[in-house]
Amino acid sequence: MDRTDFTSVVFAGGGSRCAWQVGFWQEVAPFLKNGPRAVGAVSAGAAMACFVFSGNASAAMAYFQEITGRNSKNFYPENLFKGVPLFPHLDMYRNTLLTVFDFDALKNLHQGPDIRVLLTRPPVWARPTMAILLGFLCYQIEKSLLAPLHPRLAIAIGFRPEIVSVRSCTTPEMLAELILASSCTPPFTPVLHWNGSVALDGGLIDNVPYRAIDDVGGNTLFLLTRSYRHQSLPSNPEHTYIQPSRPITISKWDYTNPTGLLETYELGREDGKRFIRSRMERR
């Protein structure tokens, strides 16, 4: 294998599809000379990055498969008048994070690459409900019409990026809240806050958050979670874009499908092995 170091790695968002990143990284990481210095991550990609660099990826996958196997629905309309959430996602997501991350895991993350998590701050002129609707409208418009790797519309109308280093998190609970804030996607989650202000899914601004590590320079590996047209990928000899070799069937917010999670993870392993073989053939 061409044992090129990747100075940085980008973990794209994608909800449950991000299990692919775990499988891919677990196959590829042992073949790299050194780990990355910095990691840019967003939404569920931030969770996956923290899972793998804390050393707890296998435990995280096992736990999440277990609880999704016990969850029968993604929407519980019967909860409408019971005072409990209609969507189970926030509790399941938070429980997974707090089960997987303890102070030893946090120590590993502080000693590892600088993982930088992207949040979206709403426009100052928009109330949270309006901001949510506008943000997801912008995201869907660009995705449907152009499918760009790095969207621009949300920032153009006033949404603001904020990048937070995992090294600033002093407790597992703080780390969990950072990842949840970066994943805030109503109605699957309620409106969430970070440092006292509304924070929305960082993917509204950029689901492939290169902006989080663009100061690092050097070779960058991008772990995408859906297929982009070749012409949508920027041409840069220092950038390596990897996407699933076939469409991932599990949807982003499907928390009822442990089989789909395992299939997604195994596809990541297959693609990781294919990546290694392709590098070896270049020698």
Side-chain angles (χ1 to χ4, degrees), residues 166-233:
V166 164
R167 291 176 178 173
S168 70
C169 296
T170 56
T171 66
E173 292 78 11
M174 190 175 179
L175 173 61
E177 293 310 310
L178 172 61
I179 294 171
L180 291 171
S182 179
S183 307
C184 177
T185 312
F188 299 105
T189 72
V191 175
L192 299 176
H193 296 75
W194 176 256
N195 281 347
S197 300
V198 171
L200 301 174
D201 193 314
L204 291 177
I205 282 180
D206 194 350
N207 202 48
V208 186
Y210 178 63
R211 70 179 65 243
I213 47 86
D214 63 357
D215 63 313
V216 178
N219 294 315
T220 302
L221 177 65
F222 292 80
L223 300 183
L224 312 177
T225 59
R226 63 181 178 89
S227 296
Y228 291 82
R229 297 189 300 269
H230 180 71
Q231 59 267 34
S232 298
L233 301 178

Side-chain angles (χ1 to χ4, degrees), residues 9 11 25 36 39 48-56 105 108-109 112-113 115:
V9 180
F11 281 68
W25 187 257
V39 175
M48 303 305 146
C50 290
F51 290 156
V52 298
F53 290 106
S54 69
N56 290 357
N108 290 340
L109 291 172
I115 301 175

Side-chain angles (χ1 to χ4, degrees), residues 14 31 51 65 95 142 229 257:
F31 289 85
F51 290 156
Q65 282 183 268
N95 288 342
E142 283 198 277
R229 297 189 300 269
N257 190 355

